[in-house]
Amino acid sequence: MTSSNDSGARGRGALALLLTAGVLALGACSKTDNETMGKKVDSAVAKTEQAGADVKAKTESAAASVAGTMDDASITAAVSTGLAKDPDLSAIKIDVDTKGGQVTLSGPAPNAAAKARAEEIAKSVKGVSAVDNRLEVKM
């Protein structure tokens, strides 16, 4: 596996090689052609650098999104595990959904005390910012 620094270094190396080839080709041209070609090379370099910056920004954004999704999945798993440890809640089907650290609990609860415990269990999980307790007490 290569790091982003390795691939960046390779990209810069390839760019340097391209620029060197362009400079050598310019040596065979007249002075007027050199100025025009130089402007074209400068423009190409600027466009390449901008494209690289765009790719980097998109990659960082995607990585942050994946990290957020994994955190939500971890929270959901931790809340579900905590609910399963409670004798009144373990046999009850409670759906746990997490988005951006906010946990939504839905499904049946055997009584009001179990509903309240489910909310406390969810709130106690690291990374939970809020709990929307939609459990319905079924007697």
Side-chain angles (χ1 to χ4, degrees), residues 52-108:
D54 292 346
V55 168
K56 180 180 178 185
K58 288 178 183 177
T59 301
E60 289 171 350
S61 175
S65 176
V66 168
T69 300
M70 292 196 55
D71 286 345
D72 285 346
S74 297
I75 290 170
T76 298
V79 171
S80 295
T81 299
L83 294 174
K85 291 178 182 179
D86 187 289
D88 290 335
L89 299 171
S90 63
I92 305 297
K93 174 68 176 148
I94 297 177
D95 292 318
V96 180
D97 185 39
T98 309
K99 289 186 181 155
Q102 178 162 341
V103 174
T104 301
L105 303 174
S106 57

Side-chain angles (χ1 to χ4, degrees), residues 1-79:
M1 178 180 268
T2 62
S3 70
S4 61
N5 288 342
D6 290 343
S7 56
R10 273 193 290 242
R12 286 189 296 275
L15 181 59
L17 183 60
L18 268 167
L19 290 175
T20 302
V23 168
L24 291 174
L26 287 174
C29 299
S30 69
K31 183 174 181 175
T32 305
D33 288 341
N34 282 345
E35 290 175 8
T36 303
M37 187 57 78
K39 289 178 184 176
K40 288 181 181 179
V41 169
D42 288 345
S43 174
V45 168
K47 287 179 183 177
T48 302
E49 288 174 348
Q50 183 59 47
D54 292 346
V55 168
K56 180 180 178 185
K58 288 178 183 177
T59 301
E60 289 171 350
S61 175
S65 176
V66 168
T69 300
M70 292 196 55
D71 286 345
D72 285 346
S74 297
I75 290 170
T76 298
V79 171

